[in-house]
Amino acid sequence: MSGTARHDREMAIQAKRRLTTATDPMERLRLQCLARGSAGIKGLGRVFRIMDDDNSRTIDFKEFMKGLNDYAVVLEKEEAQELFNRFDKNRNGKIDFNEFLLTLRPPMSRARKEVIMQAFRKLDKTGDGVITIEDLRGVYNVKHHPKYQNGEWTEEQVFRKFLDSFDSPYDKDGLLCLTLCDSIWGFLCRETGVVSGAHFPDMKTEAKQVGHTDSFPRGLFGILCWG
């Protein structure tokens, strides 16, 4: 059994055990996702995105309930309403499901932060605490990106998409600051399904095997590993 598979199995067993005593709705939902393994939260996000027909990244309570039911999450309607209300901050009957999923994932440990810091320092060639397109040139090879290969995007557009992936959806400026390390972790969780520090050795090994140009998330790990 690979390290990833073994870790997933241990995570699922631990989550199911903790679920028997958990009372907070958020924790109960988190544990039900983790009981499916490292990609459990990512799977719930996929369900929500399927329902997001207008690409607004928001859902109402009816869609929220349907998503939970489709994903076979066991929560009372009152618990689901409590969760929804926590994130419906302006009381317009809708929540940003990306923000919801970021909160749902486990807190970032010291080990995770250190990996993010290593990757950030590798990308920040000038060492000024801000990653720009110029920093990425010569560090991140875009030639294997499908949209670069078919001529749809230029090198600069690929780099900008990379940086925008971490930025606020309402204020994209093409800059990645160290203060956004939690957003980096959220991006990696969302794109790779990684939710635990124990996954990092496996991701690093995989990044070395596929190279650092395979995709954005694995590329970030690849840059970290290849040096």
Side-chain angles (χ1 to χ4, degrees):
M1 181 183 294
S2 70
T4 301
R6 181 169 56 253
H7 170 66
D8 266 18
R9 181 173 176 275
E10 292 171 355
M11 176 189 293
I13 293 173
Q14 184 180 23
K16 289 175 182 176
R17 185 182 301 123
R18 291 172 57 193
L19 188 57
T20 61
T21 57
T23 57
D24 179 72
M26 178 64 80
E27 182 66 8
R28 281 168 42 76
L29 175 56
R30 177 183 295 122
L31 291 172
Q32 288 185 65
C33 289
L34 296 182
R36 297 168 180 254
S38 59
I41 294 176
K42 180 182 178 182
L44 180 59
R46 187 179 299 114
V47 171
F48 285 153
R49 289 186 184 92
I50 290 173
M51 294 186 297
D52 183 25
D53 295 328
D54 60 357
N55 294 317
S56 66
R57 297 183 181 273
T58 61
I59 52 176
D60 59 27
F61 181 68
K62 183 178 179 181
E63 292 169 324
F64 182 67
M65 281 296 299
K66 185 177 187 307
L68 295 181
N69 291 332
D70 288 351
Y71 205 55
V73 170
V74 180
L75 281 180
E76 297 294 333
K77 185 175 181 179
E78 292 75 16
E79 293 179 308
Q81 185 70 67
E82 178 184 338
L83 276 181
F84 188 89
N85 290 343
R86 289 187 196 181
F87 290 87
D88 183 14
K89 297 174 182 177
N90 58 5
R91 296 294 183 264
N92 68 346
K94 290 183 178 292
I95 63 172
D96 182 315
F97 61 73
N98 276 340
E99 180 183 352
F100 176 79
L101 294 169
L102 286 175
T103 304
L104 183 61
R105 62 182 169 78
M108 187 162 49
S109 69
R110 181 180 298 178
R112 295 169 186 167
K113 288 182 179 179
E114 181 55 31
V115 170
I116 296 298
M117 286 289 291
Q118 289 179 47
F120 189 96
R121 287 193 291 265
K122 189 75 69 172
L123 293 170
D124 182 17
K125 303 304 289 184
T126 58
D128 61 357
V130 179
I131 297 173
T132 66
I133 288 177
E134 289 306 313
D135 285 316
L136 294 179
R137 296 188 195 279
V139 180
Y140 199 101
N141 191 338
V142 305
K143 67 180 181 180
H144 293 297
H145 192 285
K147 291 194 175 183
Y148 179 79
Q149 290 180 329
N150 66 20
E152 184 177 346
W153 285 359
T154 64
E155 180 185 58
E156 183 162 335
Q157 286 174 310
V158 174
F159 288 146
R160 183 59 188 261
K161 178 65 175 178
F162 176 83
L163 294 173
D164 285 349
S165 298
F166 306 108
D167 213 343
S168 163
Y170 310 110
D171 185 26
K172 295 184 184 297
D173 56 9
L175 304 175
L176 177 57
C177 301
L178 189 55
T179 54
L180 291 175
C181 66
D182 196 58
S183 296
I184 299 173
W185 175 246
F187 172 79
L188 293 173
C189 289
R190 185 172 69 247
E191 297 297 323
T192 67
V194 177
V195 296
S196 169
H199 244 81
F200 285 131
D202 301 303
M203 286 296 295
K204 288 180 179 180
T205 299
E206 180 182 357
K208 286 182 178 180
Q209 291 171 347
V210 302
H212 67 273
T213 57
D214 181 58
S215 66
F216 285 153
R218 283 170 174 74
L220 191 56
F221 274 97
I223 291 168
L224 173 62
C225 299
W226 282 70

